[in-house]
Amino acid sequence: MSKVLDELIDSIKCLPGVGPKSATRMAYYLLQRDPKGARRLANSILNSFELLGKCTSCNNFSETPTCNLCLDPKRNKKILCIIEMPTDLLMFEQTHSFDGMYYILMGRLSPLDGIGPKDLNMGGLYDRCKDEQIQEIIIATNFTKEGDATATYITELLKDLGKKLSRIARGMPSGSEIEYTDSGTLAQAISERKTINQKF
Amino acid sequence: MSKVLDELIDSIKCLPGVGPKSATRMAYYLLQRDPKGARRLANSILNSFELLGKCTSCNNFSETPTCNLCLDPKRNKKILCIIEMPTDLLMFEQTHSFDGMYYILMGRLSPLDGIGPKDLNMGGLYDRCKDEQIQEIIIATNFTKEGDATATYITELLKDLGKKLSRIARGMPSGSEIEYTDSGTLAQAISERKTINQKF
């Protein structure tokens, strides 16, 4: 085969979830069917590295020192939500039920992948949380082993700030049926059951 | 969101089989986890367009005017196999049961997608098949509606050359069971049944 083509296929494999077969298909597709799109892709990758930095407030990717969301005067500055990835931010925003600020860890503690507290810039998180405006901090890492470990680490890190700390609720998903729920989730839903308010 | 990031996500969506959600995930992955791989991807896309052309003999992508396979003196020059895509060539080579030459159409006739005979450079195919060395031409387009139509078109196109034309066999897949075969395949296997040689 052609070396240039091999290099293209190999470099496409760096995308998450793309194996050798998909990479080969994508390479031929770009070359044969969408040269314009391919050039655009190449240029926007290079552009991104040139133009994008991290927001000094929330740690998200941003073209400006502080991102639009952090500059938005309508956001509630008293409450800070700590999340793993920018994609989680999009999910939170889609719920339209949170109007506070965010801090994005850009990952989770994962010793097996060699990601420790230093890799996640936990110092930056601490500094952000010290901000006097912030009264409550919601930890919204994933409910995976790594997410749980990260939440525990953050709780330890921030406890001397004396601020209200919370974690988003774990339990049965909305619309779910007990019959089809996995036992781990159900066990959590039992142990974290909520007292029903009977004062009407 | 950031415009630069939006542009990156949007440009990743040009890859086949990648929707908005995957594109977003890929974009953040490239930015956060694999900047080196991302730059390599961008550069190898741009390189490919600069360095790759089409082989004058088989129409495959190649860095040289004629590709290595077409230059290989060990290949049987008497037999030409017409396929749709370079990925099909890889599949044929993996079988180790074909040592002839290839011609790659780089697509199939597909009126619904606006791909007609001119888009597939059928003139180039005709010229290639005129080569006096070639004695047999195997049509190995896919067994889809478009592939069948393409095979019919090619048969018409080449019939005045007076060369042996064949098409790869259609039937039950190797190792398959009748119970689990779709009826279209089974019907074909019945109508294209092969006489058993009883002369031992």
Side-chain angles (χ1 to χ4, degrees):
Chain A
M1 293 284 298
S2 150
K3 266 188 196 172
V4 179
L5 196 54
D6 279 347
E7 164 64 17
L8 176 62
I9 293 170
D10 213 52
S11 68
I12 292 176
K13 278 195 284 188
C14 85
L15 293 169
V18 177
K21 203 136 187 176
S22 300
T24 308
R25 200 166 58 98
M26 286 174 174
Y28 284 122
Y29 179 87
L30 290 179
L31 288 170
Q32 181 65 17
R33 293 261 166 267
D34 198 0
K36 216 173 139 188
R39 280 175 205 276
R40 189 183 153 206
L41 172 58
N43 290 322
S44 62
I45 290 173
L46 298 175
N47 261 340
S48 300
F49 285 104
E50 202 160 311
L51 300 173
L52 286 181
K54 294 280 176 74
C55 169
T56 50
S57 169
C58 72
N59 200 35
N60 202 350
F61 293 105
S62 172
E63 290 149 74
T64 46
T66 311
C67 76
N68 292 336
L69 192 147
C70 289
L71 288 173
D72 187 348
K74 282 187 226 130
R75 307 291 303 199
N76 180 354
K77 303 274 187 292
K78 295 178 188 165
I79 186 159
L80 180 79
C81 182
I82 302 172
I83 52 177
E84 290 184 13
M85 293 298 291
T87 35
D88 299 335
L89 188 152
L90 302 179
M91 295 306 290
F92 271 86
E93 288 299 291
Q94 275 172 30
T95 65
H96 297 289
S97 61
F98 179 75
D99 70 344
M101 311 297 284
Y102 293 98
Y103 185 89
I104 294 125
L105 295 170
M106 292 291 174
R108 64 208 67 95
L109 293 181
S110 178
L112 287 176
D113 301 321
I115 302 172
K118 275 181 192 164
D119 303 296
L120 292 183
N121 186 18
M122 285 294 186
L125 170 66
Y126 187 81
D127 290 343
R128 178 73 185 96
C129 293
K130 271 198 303 196
D131 184 337
E132 288 185 1
Q133 282 189 93
I134 297 169
Q135 295 172 1
E136 180 179 352
I137 296 158
I138 304 175
I139 302 174
T141 53
N142 287 324
F143 288 105
T144 56
K145 274 185 189 149
E146 287 93 351
D148 285 342
T150 310
T152 309
Y153 183 92
I154 293 171
T155 309
E156 276 297 309
L157 180 78
L158 302 179
K159 67 178 176 186
D160 69 330
L161 291 175
K163 295 188 176 181
K164 185 178 171 188
L165 277 180
S166 59
R167 195 164 178 209
I168 56 166
R170 177 181 348 221
M172 300 271 301
S174 238
S176 64
E177 292 180 48
I178 289 171
E179 187 179 348
Y180 303 110
T181 306
D182 69 290
S183 50
T185 300
L186 196 55
Q188 280 291 349
I190 296 166
S191 78
E192 299 185 14
R193 64 192 178 276
K194 209 177 147 193
T195 308
I196 297 166
N197 185 1
Q198 292 180 77
K199 295 174 203 150
F200 292 107
Chain B
M1 293 287 296
S2 149
K3 264 187 196 171
V4 178
L5 196 55
D6 279 349
E7 164 64 15
L8 176 61
I9 293 170
D10 214 52
S11 68
I12 292 177
K13 277 194 286 188
C14 85
L15 294 169
V18 177
K21 204 135 188 177
S22 300
T24 308
R25 199 165 59 98
M26 287 174 173
Y28 284 121
Y29 178 88
L30 291 179
L31 289 170
Q32 182 65 18
R33 293 257 167 268
D34 199 0
K36 216 172 138 189
R39 280 174 206 277
R40 187 182 156 206
L41 172 58
N43 290 324
S44 62
I45 291 172
L46 298 174
N47 261 343
S48 300
F49 284 104
E50 202 162 308
L51 300 175
L52 287 180
K54 295 280 178 72
C55 169
T56 49
S57 168
C58 72
N59 201 35
N60 202 353
F61 293 105
S62 172
E63 292 149 72
T64 46
T66 309
C67 75
N68 292 337
L69 193 146
C70 289
L71 288 174
D72 187 348
K74 281 185 228 135
R75 307 290 306 197
N76 180 354
K77 305 272 188 291
K78 295 179 185 164
I79 186 158
L80 181 79
C81 182
I82 303 173
I83 53 178
E84 291 184 11
M85 295 297 290
T87 36
D88 299 336
L89 187 152
L90 301 181
M91 295 305 291
F92 270 86
E93 287 300 292
Q94 274 170 33
T95 66
H96 296 288
S97 61
F98 180 75
D99 70 344
M101 310 296 285
Y102 294 97
Y103 186 89
I104 295 126
L105 296 169
M106 292 291 175
R108 63 210 64 97
L109 293 180
S110 178
L112 288 175
D113 301 321
I115 301 171
K118 275 182 194 166
D119 302 296
L120 292 184
N121 185 18
M122 287 293 189
L125 170 66
Y126 186 82
D127 290 342
R128 178 72 185 96
C129 294
K130 270 197 304 196
D131 184 337
E132 288 185 1
Q133 284 188 90
I134 296 170
Q135 296 174 0
E136 180 179 353
I137 296 158
I138 304 175
I139 302 174
T141 53
N142 287 324
F143 288 105
T144 56
K145 273 183 190 151
E146 288 92 349
D148 285 341
T150 309
T152 310
Y153 183 92
I154 293 171
T155 308
E156 276 298 307
L157 180 77
L158 301 180
K159 66 178 180 189
D160 70 332
L161 291 175
K163 295 189 179 180
K164 184 179 173 191
L165 276 181
S166 58
R167 196 165 178 207
I168 56 168
R170 175 176 357 215
M172 300 272 300
S174 238
S176 64
E177 294 180 46
I178 290 171
E179 187 179 350
Y180 303 109
T181 306
D182 69 290
S183 50
T185 299
L186 196 54
Q188 281 290 349
I190 295 166
S191 78
E192 298 186 16
R193 66 191 176 278
K194 208 178 148 194
T195 310
I196 297 167
N197 184 2
Q198 292 181 76
K199 294 173 205 153
F200 294 104

